[in-house]
Amino acid sequence: MSSSNAKIAEAAELENDLGPRRVYSTSPSSPSSMPAFASVLAVIAILYFGKEVLLPLAIAVLLTFALAPISSRLRKLGLPRIPAVIVTVVLAFLVLVLFGLVVAGHIAEVAQNLPAYQGNIIAKIRSLQESGTDSGIVRRLTSVVESVGRELSNAEERPVTGSRPREPVLVEIFAPSRPIETLTSLIGPLLGPIASLGLIVVVVIFMLLEREELRDRFIRLVGYGDLHRTTEAIQEAGSRVARYLLMQLVVNCAYGVPLALGLWAVGIPNPALWGMLAIVLRFVPYIGPVIATVLPLFLAFAVDPGWSLVLWVAAIFVVLELTSNNVIEPWLYGSRTGLSPLAIIVAAIFWAWLWGPVGLVLSTPLTVCLAVLGRYVPQFEFLEVVFGSDPVLDPKERLYQRLLAGDPDEATDYAEEFLEEDYLEDYYGKVAIPALLLAEKDRRRGVLTAEQMEQVFGTAITLVSNLGEIAQEEEEEEEKEEEQKEKGVSGRPSTHPKEGNEDESELPDGRGKTVFCIGGRGPLDDASAAMLAQVLQVQGAEVVAARHSDIPNRRAMSLVPKQSNAIVVCFLNEGSARHARILIRRFKRIYPAIRVGAVLWVENQEERHPPTLREADFVATTLTLAAREALADAAASLVTPARKIRTRRSSNKTGITAAQSGI
């Protein structure tokens, strides 16, 4: 119960642990992916058939990760290396052995007392029948409980009470007893676990003693040509696994100890057993916490003739779950794994199939190591994509995918997450316009049809409309800031990430100004014009937006308000400079007193310089520059572009030439 949500929260919060996110290539998979896949299959086969040897080694390696910080701390306190390692390992395994003995003793006691609870269980089941919930399942459950109780009672009474004494049987012994064989039959089944435990202890000791030497050998073996990357991989795998194991142990103890005290307070038998089992079972993703909850609830059901004890136990678990999920785990964020929730579930299934219950416990730390391998080894990059919690698409790629799918709701959700920390201007400039540039790139490649472009446009316009409320809030915030400036207080709120750069980031006040925005050549240009229009509205300007399709029938000319301060034509195609000149000349000829400019969108302004448009009053390449120019107080150019006249000789014989205007 608790840990299902906990694992999701832990897996989802790795952003700060991993550092800068990897940008994945979108190119087709290279031929080297097939050998990598074959290598994965070979490794799985080795892990499965070499389970008897590899399982103890895996446990030893993970215990080494967990105990290494303790050993290092003892060495910093002045203890020599060998005594520090011996003390760490001995104490750790003594705790584990004592833990196991206590749990085994309590389990034996619970098993011995189970027949005493038979009457309460049958009485409660019969009460359910009498309350009107009678069904075949309840009747079968009652019969099963009764039959189990009879078998347990007969097993206890059979040696003592017998209706007829057994007659002695004559036995002839052909060979004397052999004590060695008897001892072997008793110890034989224990040799395997004892040998595995001894192997684990020895391996842990030597790995702690030779930790630096093993690190150097690993670097020389797999990463001598790239010491920086290999060192980062080793440090990240070690720190993440050790932090996960130790912090998860702290979280589980903070859950198990109060659980044992609470169960003791309400009168549950063997409360220490259920607290200790909760500590261990919560290491198992999703399944373990459920088992740790069901067992005490079933015991409360069996022990108490009424229902009050069951309710008390349920209340204890609810309180502990809420406390653990909302207080302890957020405070101890070191237990983050960097795995996605689905990856944790799939890994638990895979390792349980591979190595049984022990593999289920080891599934999360082992999968963390695989994710680190995929992060630093290019041939296994797919492991990080499959298991990691990092998003594999950039925000602009994610938005473009949603625009293509015609899903404005999910696109709006992503936008609202972004806008929790940034302004609308930042979202459109860093995410939305680059997403439209990706669409324009696909259009030029011929893979985006006209219907898809209209769908992208429609979804983008719906997104802009959905963000209208946020735009209204920002507009009110801008008005308050302007009032504060008039009173002598300047600057944006200190919570804004651009604090300290007010002069560079602030846009001009748009109150009292009117701007006309229009797309240049297609639906994608229209969408970018709508986004620019909303940003200008946030600044307080009156904005009229039009589509490119209004230009041929001159409808756009009639839409331009006469009191406009600027006309902005937006283009996503970097090769539209010639078309931009035509439109600018047309607008300048009709509205010579209005500033007319073009926005030729580019994602990286430093790599590309905008073309020179002598006809335009301004040329911008980013949303911030476009908004500044559109709201600037500069006057329009008073020089009207000369109308070019092309002449051609008439085809008639009179020799009269015909003049035809060309734009």
Side-chain angles (χ1 to χ4, degrees):
M1 279 175 66
S2 141
S3 232
S4 6
N5 294 331
K7 300 291 182 186
I8 293 177
E10 292 163 3
E13 289 294 335
L14 180 70
E15 288 291 332
N16 296 330
D17 265 354
L18 291 179
R21 187 172 60 81
R22 180 192 297 265
V23 178
Y24 297 98
S25 173
T26 56
S27 59
S29 57
S30 60
S32 61
S33 60
M34 291 304 297
F37 182 72
S39 302
V40 171
L41 293 180
V43 169
I44 292 175
I46 293 173
L47 292 174
Y48 183 80
F49 293 106
K51 175 173 60 176
E52 299 298 331
V53 176
L54 297 177
L55 184 56
L57 290 178
I59 297 174
V61 170
L62 295 178
L63 287 177
T64 302
F65 281 136
L67 299 178
I70 302 176
S71 175
S72 301
R73 182 63 58 88
L74 292 178
R75 290 180 60 185
K76 290 180 181 179
L77 294 177
L79 203 62
R81 172 183 295 184
I82 295 179
V85 171
I86 298 297
V87 169
T88 301
V89 175
V90 169
L91 289 178
F93 280 93
L94 278 178
V95 170
L96 293 177
V97 170
L98 291 176
F99 188 93
L101 292 176
V102 172
V103 170
H106 281 288
I107 291 176
E109 184 178 349
V110 170
Q112 186 178 1
N113 295 333
L114 277 179
Y117 308 139
Q118 175 192 359
N120 291 335
I121 298 174
I122 295 176
K124 288 186 177 180
I125 295 176
R126 286 176 177 170
S127 67
L128 292 176
Q129 291 177 337
E130 295 173 358
S131 63
T133 58
D134 188 12
S135 64
I137 297 178
V138 175
R139 287 195 297 270
R140 285 193 293 270
L141 183 60
T142 305
S143 62
V144 168
V145 173
E146 290 177 345
S147 62
V148 171
R150 284 195 300 269
E151 290 297 329
L152 291 174
S153 300
N154 294 337
E156 292 180 354
E157 296 175 359
R158 197 173 291 128
V160 181
T161 62
S163 57
R164 297 177 59 186
R166 294 184 177 181
E167 296 181 359
V169 179
L170 297 177
V171 178
E172 184 178 359
I173 301 176
F174 293 95
S177 61
R178 298 178 181 178
I180 296 179
E181 292 182 358
T182 305
L183 185 63
T184 302
S185 63
L186 294 175
I187 299 179
L190 302 177
L191 287 179
I194 292 175
S196 298
L197 180 62
L199 175 64
I200 292 172
V201 173
V202 172
V203 172
V204 169
I205 291 176
F206 278 96
M207 291 188 74
L208 288 174
L209 288 174
E210 304 292 333
R211 189 156 53 97
E212 293 80 4
E213 181 68 20
L214 290 173
R215 177 199 61 202
D216 296 342
R217 291 180 181 275
F218 181 79
I219 292 175
R220 183 65 181 85
L221 181 64
V222 302
Y224 186 70
D226 193 349
L227 291 176
H228 173 73
R229 181 179 292 270
T230 309
T231 302
E232 281 189 348
I234 294 174
Q235 290 178 345
E236 184 175 336
S239 63
R240 285 170 61 184
V241 172
R243 186 169 59 250
Y244 165 76
L245 293 174
L246 292 178
M247 289 299 101
Q248 189 64 35
L249 178 62
V250 172
V251 171
N252 293 356
C253 290
Y255 185 95
V257 173
L259 175 63
L261 294 176
L263 295 179
W264 171 79
V266 298
I268 294 294
N270 307 99
L273 171 64
W274 312 118
M276 298 170 76
L277 285 179
I279 293 175
V280 175
L281 290 173
R282 284 172 62 87
F283 277 102
V284 180
Y286 300 102
I287 304 173
V290 176
I291 299 175
T293 303
V294 170
L295 292 177
L297 284 174
F298 177 77
L299 190 61
F301 177 83
V303 170
D304 188 19
W307 295 93
S308 59
L309 190 57
V310 176
L311 297 178
W312 276 110
V313 172
I316 290 173
F317 275 103
V318 169
V319 171
L320 289 177
E321 293 291 342
L322 293 176
T323 305
S324 178
N325 291 341
N326 300 297
V327 178
I328 298 176
E329 287 167 359
W331 179 44
L332 296 173
Y333 261 176
S335 56
R336 291 171 292 188
T337 62
L339 303 178
S340 66
L342 180 61
I344 294 177
I345 299 175
V346 174
I349 297 173
F350 172 77
W351 290 107
W353 165 77
L354 202 63
W355 286 350
V358 180
L360 189 63
V361 177
L362 301 179
S363 61
T364 299
L366 289 175
T367 309
V368 166
C369 295
L370 291 178
V372 173
L373 176 68
R375 179 176 177 82
Y376 291 99
V377 180
Q379 291 81 0
F380 297 99
E381 182 179 322
F382 68 93
L383 291 174
E384 188 188 7
V385 177
V386 173
F387 296 124
S389 62
D390 278 351
V392 296
L393 293 178
D394 287 330
K396 62 180 180 181
E397 296 170 339
R398 181 183 296 181
L399 175 60
Y400 178 40
Q401 195 273 333
R402 290 295 85 200
L403 295 179
L404 278 175
D407 186 359
D409 296 330
E410 189 172 346
T412 303
D413 293 338
Y414 291 146
E416 290 176 348
E417 292 178 6
F418 187 94
L419 293 172
E420 290 178 358
E421 299 181 358
D422 290 284
Y423 281 98
L424 198 63
E425 166 200 346
D426 303 317
Y427 175 72
Y428 284 148
K430 297 177 181 178
V431 180
I433 298 298
L436 294 178
L437 287 171
L438 291 176
E440 174 63 23
K441 188 180 298 183
D442 284 346
R443 186 198 67 80
R444 292 199 305 268
R445 292 194 301 121
V447 298
L448 198 65
T449 64
E451 292 78 8
Q452 288 176 322
M453 281 193 292
E454 286 295 336
Q455 179 167 298
V456 170
F457 167 76
T459 308
I461 294 301
T462 305
L463 171 64
V464 173
S465 176
N466 292 342
L467 298 180
E469 183 177 349
I470 297 178
Q472 181 65 28
E473 294 176 358
E474 290 192 9
E475 184 176 355
E476 295 174 358
E477 182 180 346
E478 292 287 343
E479 293 177 356
K480 292 179 181 179
E481 291 176 6
E482 293 297 332
E483 294 176 359
Q484 291 177 354
K485 287 182 181 181
E486 293 175 358
K487 297 178 181 179
V489 181
S490 62
R492 283 187 171 178
S494 58
T495 57
H496 193 272
K498 296 190 240 184
E499 180 184 0
N501 296 324
E502 290 86 354
D503 294 337
E504 296 181 1
S505 62
E506 282 194 2
L507 297 178
D509 183 15
R511 289 179 295 181
K513 297 179 181 178
T514 304
V515 180
F516 179 76
C517 298
I518 188 169
R521 302 190 69 176
L524 303 179
D525 298 334
D526 299 336
S528 67
M531 295 175 183
L532 174 61
Q534 192 172 66
V535 172
L536 296 175
Q537 287 175 342
V538 169
Q539 300 307 119
E542 294 291 334
V543 184
V544 177
R547 297 198 60 180
H548 75 287
S549 56
D550 298 329
I551 295 176
N553 56 16
R554 296 186 178 272
R555 182 171 178 269
M557 308 305 175
S558 60
L559 292 176
V560 179
K562 295 181 179 180
Q563 71 278 15
S564 296
N565 299 89
I567 297 174
V568 184
V569 188
C570 301
F571 294 92
L572 287 166
N573 187 355
E574 58 186 5
S576 298
R578 180 177 178 275
H579 194 74
R581 292 188 182 96
I582 296 174
L583 291 181
I584 290 172
R585 286 200 301 266
R586 182 179 299 179
F587 280 113
K588 288 290 289 184
R589 186 176 302 111
I590 300 175
Y591 303 101
I594 300 177
R595 299 179 73 240
V596 181
V599 183
L600 302 174
W601 302 108
V602 295
E603 185 174 356
N604 192 342
Q605 184 182 5
E606 297 178 356
E607 295 180 357
R608 298 177 182 177
H609 300 283
T612 302
L613 300 178
R614 291 178 297 177
E615 298 85 352
D617 292 299
F618 60 88
V619 178
T621 55
T622 65
L623 187 139
T624 301
L625 293 176
R628 286 179 184 169
E629 292 290 348
L631 299 177
D633 294 325
S637 172
L638 298 179
V639 179
T640 303
R643 181 168 183 152
K644 295 183 180 179
I645 304 297
R646 293 184 303 180
T647 61
R648 60 174 180 168
R649 187 175 299 275
S650 176
S651 58
N652 56 31
K653 298 181 180 180
T654 60
I656 301 176
T657 60
Q660 181 178 2
S661 62
I663 298 178

